[in-house]
C-alpha cells in the first residue's frame, strides 16, 4: 500500500494518491490532472476512485477531468448534489482499493456534505484519516463557508463539534491525519505549518479537540475572529458542484502568443485586464500602463481570487519567459479560465516597439527613514492584514489592508505622495499597481517592507503578540 501526499504550497493544499495492488484512489485532486495519471501509469495501476471530501471553496478540483481521463468514479459523501455523474456514498460505506479499504465517515460542520475518509490497511487496521476541511493540523475548518446553507455558522459549528467528538476523536491515537490544507489557507485561522500528524498528538495540542471542551465553548472559539472569506469562494463551490471546461481547452486558449500590436489590440477590443506576474522588483522598473502586478512567486492564486472579483474576467498576461503555462494553470486552479493570451517576447518586445511604459518609484528603507526624520507627517500606508498592523506598525501609518484596498480608496489622497509597505514587498507592489491603475500617480514603494523598516530609526508602536489580539 502506498500513500503519497501531493502538497501544493501556493494554495496550501494537500491532494492524496493511494495505491494498492494495481488500483489507486485520488483524494481532492487539483485542476491539472496529468500528475495523477502519470503516477498511476508509473505504478501500472488503474485509478478506481476520485474521492472528494466536500465542495471546495478555495480551488477548483480536478475531479471531473480526472474521472473523464481515467474512467474512475467520482465519490462524494452524504448530502452532496452534483449536476454531473457522481456516486453519493452513505455514511460508513467502504470502498476497496486493491487490498486497502477507504471507509466513509460523514463529518458535517465545515459544510453539510463534508466527509472524511478512513484508510484501513491490508490487515484491516485503521491507518490514516483524510480529513478534508473537517480537521486541520492545529485547527478545524471554518463553519461559515457553506454556500446557500440554511444553517447559521453557529449551527454548523455545532455539527462540527459533534462530528469531531463522535466520528474522529474516537479513533486510535496512532491514526495519521492528512488534512486538505495547511498554514496559509483561508479555510481555517490557526493552521500549523506541518502537513500531517498523528491523531493522538492533535488530541493533545489542537485547541478544538480539548477533551473537556463544551459545545458552547467550541462554537465560540471556532467562530471568533473569522475574517470575511474571499469573494471567489462561492464561485469555486459552484464550479465544483456543476463542472467546468476541460483544462486542456483552458490552456489552449490562454497560451496564445500575441505580438505587442496584437496584445494591445486585444486589450482595447475586449477590455481584458492586463495581469503582470513578474517579480515586484522587475514590475516596478517598467510595465504596461494600467497593468496589475501579482507576482507568480508568492501567494499568487489566492491574491488573484481576492482582488479580481469576477472569475469570468478576461485576462492578458505578461509573464517571465517560459512561465506562461504555469501562470495559466495556476489561474485555472482557482477558476480563472478566461486568459486570452500572453505578450510574446515580454516587456522587451513591448519596449522595442516604442510603446508607452509606466514605472513605480521605490525607496530603500534607510532612505525612507531619512525622509521620515525630516518630515514625520509624510503619508505612510500599511497594506498588511489588520492583525499584522495591530501587532506593530509605524506610528503614523494608515492601515489599508490589500484585501480590502478598493474599500479604502476614498481615504487615500491622490494629491500627496504615499509611501506604501507590507511585510516584505510583495503585497505593497500589488497595491501600488492597483493604485496606479486607479489614477494615483504619487505612490512610492518601500523596499523590503516592514521587515526592513523595523531595522531603521522610524518610530513604531510597541509590539503586541498577535496570539493575544482579538
Amino acid at each position: 500500500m502506498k500513500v503519497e501526499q501531493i502538497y501544493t504550497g501556493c494554495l496550501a493544499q494537500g491532494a492524496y494518491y493511494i495505491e494498492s495492488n494495481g488500483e489507486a484512489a485520488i483524494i481532492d485532486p487539483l485542476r491539472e490532472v496529468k500528475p495523477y495519471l502519470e503516477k498511476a501509469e508509473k505504478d501500472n495501476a488503474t485509478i478506481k476512485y476520485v474521492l472528494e471530501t466536500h465542495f471546495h471553496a478555495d480551488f477548483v478540483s480536478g475531479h471531473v477531468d480526472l474521472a473523464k481521463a481515467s474512467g474512475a468514479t467520482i465519490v462524494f459523501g452524504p448530502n452532496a448534489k452534483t449536476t454531473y455523474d457522481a456516486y453519493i456514498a452513505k455514511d460508513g460505506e467502504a470502498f476497496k482499493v486493491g487490498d486497502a479499504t477507504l471507509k466513509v465517515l460523514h463529518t458535517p460542520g465545515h459544510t453539510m456534505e463534508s466527509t472524511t475518509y478512513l484508510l484501513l490497511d491490508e490487515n484491516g487496521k485503521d491507518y490514516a484519516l483524510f480529513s478534508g476541511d473537517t480537521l486541520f493540523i492545529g485547527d478545524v475548518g471554518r463553519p461559515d463557508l457553506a454556500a446557500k446553507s440554511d444553517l447559521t455558522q453557529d449551527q454548523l459549528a455545532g455539527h462540527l463539534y459533534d462530528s469531531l467528538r463522535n466520528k474522529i476523536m474516537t479513533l486510535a491515537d496512532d491514526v495519521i491525519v492528512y488534512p486538505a490544507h495547511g498554514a496559509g489557507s483561508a479555510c481555517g485561522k490557526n493552521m500549523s505549518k506541518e502537513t500531517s500528524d498523528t491523531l493522538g498528538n492533535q488530541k493533545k495540542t489542537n485547541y478544538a479537540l480539548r477533551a473537556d471542551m463544551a459545545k458552547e465553548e467550541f462554537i465560540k472559539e471556532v467562530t471568533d475572529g473569522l475574517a470575511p472569506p474571499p469573494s471567489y469562494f462561492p464561485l469555486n463551490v459552484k464550479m465544483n458542484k456543476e463542472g467546468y471546461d476541460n483544462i486542456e481547452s483552458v490552456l489552449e486558449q490562454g497560451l496564445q502568443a500575441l505580438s505587442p500590436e496584437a496584445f494591445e489590440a486585444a486589450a482595447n477590443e475586449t477590455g481584458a485586464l492586463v495581469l503582470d506576474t513578474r517579480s515586484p522588483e522587475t514590475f516596478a522598473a517598467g510595465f504596461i500602463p494600467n497593468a496589475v502586478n501579482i507576482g507568480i512567486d508568492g501567494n499568487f492564486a489566492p491574491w488573484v481570487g481576492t482582488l479580481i472579483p469576477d472569475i469570468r474576467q478576461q485576462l492578458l498576461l505578461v509573464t517571465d519567459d517560459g512561465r506562461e503555462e504555469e501562470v495559466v494553470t495556476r489561474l485555472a486552479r482557482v477558476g480563472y479560465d478566461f486568459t486570452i493570451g500572453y505578450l510574446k517576447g515580454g516587456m522587451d518586445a513591448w519596449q522595442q516597439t516604442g510603446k508607452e511604459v509606466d514605472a513605480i518609484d521605490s525607496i530603500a528603507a534607510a532612505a525612507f527613514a531619512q525622509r521620515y526624520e525630516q518630515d514625520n507627517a509624510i503619508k505612510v500606508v500599511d497594506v498588511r492584514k489588520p492583525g499584522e498592523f495591530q501587532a506593530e506598525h509605524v506610528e503614523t501609518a494608515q492601515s489599508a489592508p490589500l484585501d480590502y484596498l478598493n474599500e479604502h480608496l476614498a481615504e487615500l489622497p491622490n494629491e500627496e505622495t504615499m509611501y506604501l509597505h507590507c511585510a516584505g514587498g510583495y503585497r505593497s507592489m500589488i497595491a501600488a499597481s492597483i493604485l496606479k491603475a486607479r489614477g494615483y500617480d504619487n505612490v512610492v514603494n518601500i523596499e523590503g517592507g516592514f521587515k526592513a523598516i523595523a531595522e531603521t530609526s522610524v518610530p513604531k508602536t510597541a509590539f503586541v503578540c498577535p496570539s493575544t489580539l482579538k
Side-chain angles (χ1 to χ4, degrees):
M1 182 178 74
K2 176 192 289 187
V3 178
E4 184 177 348
Q5 181 184 61
I6 307 162
Y7 200 78
T8 303
C10 65
L11 284 176
Q13 191 268 352
Y16 297 93
Y17 172 82
I18 301 153
E19 189 276 334
S20 173
N21 199 21
E23 293 184 338
I26 313 295
I27 300 178
D28 294 337
L30 280 187
R31 184 79 181 270
E32 67 275 25
V33 300
K34 279 185 180 176
Y36 313 112
L37 296 169
E38 290 170 354
K39 284 181 186 300
E41 184 178 4
K42 185 179 178 182
D43 289 340
N44 196 27
T46 300
I47 299 177
K48 191 175 182 182
Y49 298 113
V50 182
L51 302 155
E52 292 285 286
T53 55
H54 64 296
F55 292 121
H56 306 281
D58 59 326
F59 71 97
V60 179
S61 176
H63 56 307
V64 175
D65 277 350
L66 184 55
K68 288 178 181 174
S70 66
T73 299
I74 299 171
V75 178
F76 278 93
N79 294 336
K81 294 180 181 178
T82 68
T83 58
Y84 46 80
D85 288 339
Y87 183 81
I88 309 303
K90 299 178 180 63
D91 186 28
E93 193 167 354
F95 296 86
K96 293 293 290 185
V97 179
D99 297 326
T101 303
L102 282 157
K103 184 178 179 182
V104 174
L105 301 180
H106 185 214
T107 49
H110 172 65
T111 60
M112 288 307 288
E113 81 284 357
S114 282
T115 294
T116 60
Y117 297 99
L118 178 64
L119 175 65
L120 287 69
D121 66 16
E122 299 89 337
N123 299 314
K125 183 181 184 302
D126 294 353
Y127 177 78
L129 184 73
F130 302 93
S131 57
D133 286 19
T134 295
L135 174 62
F136 297 128
I137 307 305
D139 202 355
V140 293
R142 53 191 294 176
D144 63 326
L145 300 182
K148 297 182 180 179
S149 171
D150 294 330
L151 302 174
T152 67
Q153 68 175 23
D154 283 7
Q155 290 170 322
L156 285 163
H159 281 290
L160 183 57
Y161 177 89
D162 293 335
S163 293
L164 291 163
R165 265 70 190 168
N166 300 331
K167 297 286 185 65
I168 291 180
M169 292 175 68
T170 55
L171 299 172
D173 286 353
D174 62 353
V175 169
I176 302 169
V177 178
Y178 288 119
H181 293 294
S185 165
C187 294
K189 59 181 180 179
N190 190 39
M191 285 181 260
S192 167
K193 291 181 180 178
E194 303 299 322
T195 60
S196 66
D197 196 4
T198 63
L199 181 58
N201 198 45
Q202 283 303 292
K203 290 176 184 174
K204 294 177 185 173
T205 59
N206 189 323
Y207 77 97
L209 302 189
R210 293 198 308 269
D212 61 349
M213 195 177 205
K215 182 181 285 190
E216 292 72 20
E217 289 178 287
F218 178 90
I219 293 171
K220 182 179 179 182
E221 292 188 36
V222 167
T223 58
D224 184 47
L226 290 175
S231 59
Y232 73 101
F233 272 27
L235 303 173
N236 278 192
V237 170
K238 181 178 172 64
M239 292 178 75
N240 285 321
K241 281 184 176 179
E242 299 178 1
Y244 41 73
D245 292 336
N246 181 280
I247 184 68
E248 297 301 328
S249 301
V250 175
L251 286 169
E252 183 179 354
Q253 177 182 264
L255 294 177
Q256 296 187 73
L258 303 175
S259 67
E261 291 75 16
F263 189 93
E264 186 174 50
N268 292 333
E269 292 168 6
T270 66
L273 173 70
V274 177
L275 179 61
D276 191 321
T277 65
R278 299 173 299 155
S279 72
E281 298 78 13
T282 305
F283 175 83
F287 58 89
I288 297 173
N290 297 323
V292 170
N293 172 238
I294 303 180
I296 190 70
D297 293 321
N299 288 327
F300 173 71
W303 279 119
V304 168
T306 299
L307 297 171
I308 304 176
D310 182 4
I311 63 173
R312 300 183 66 84
Q313 168 71 54
Q314 290 183 314
L315 301 171
L316 286 162
L317 301 177
V318 179
T319 75
D320 293 312
D321 186 36
R323 300 188 73 177
E324 301 85 8
E325 182 170 345
E326 177 187 358
V327 172
V328 177
T329 300
R330 288 173 66 173
L331 287 167
R333 285 176 182 168
V334 286
Y336 289 78
D337 288 358
F338 293 90
T339 303
I340 58 175
Y342 69 91
L343 179 60
K344 184 180 181 181
M347 284 303 295
D348 287 343
W350 183 267
Q351 289 175 299
Q352 285 168 10
T353 64
K355 293 185 182 298
E356 188 178 357
V357 174
D358 205 347
I360 287 176
D361 291 335
S362 293
I363 187 172
F368 166 70
Q370 290 178 350
R371 291 191 191 181
Y372 193 93
E373 188 174 347
Q374 294 166 1
D375 179 9
N376 61 15
I378 60 176
K379 188 71 174 177
V380 182
V381 178
D382 185 335
V383 302
R384 297 177 299 164
K385 292 182 180 296
E388 295 174 276
F389 182 83
Q390 290 165 21
E392 189 179 20
H393 59 266
V394 173
E395 278 188 353
T396 59
Q398 176 180 347
S399 176
L402 177 60
D403 311 52
Y404 316 109
L405 187 65
N406 287 333
E407 299 169 19
H408 288 272
L409 291 181
E411 306 162 13
L412 301 177
N414 58 13
E415 68 279 2
E416 67 176 297
T417 300
M418 290 186 289
Y419 293 83
L420 305 183
H421 77 83
C422 58
Y426 180 81
R427 286 174 287 177
S428 60
M429 190 57 68
I430 298 173
S433 69
I434 293 172
L435 290 172
K436 269 276 191 177
R438 299 282 194 279
Y440 290 80
D441 290 326
N442 299 320
V443 293
V444 178
N445 181 59
I446 303 174
E447 296 170 0
F450 191 77
K451 184 178 180 182
I453 296 171
E455 296 176 357
T456 71
S457 59
V458 173
K460 297 166 285 290
T461 59
F463 176 75
V464 179
C465 180
S467 64
T468 65
L469 293 170
K470 284 291 183 183

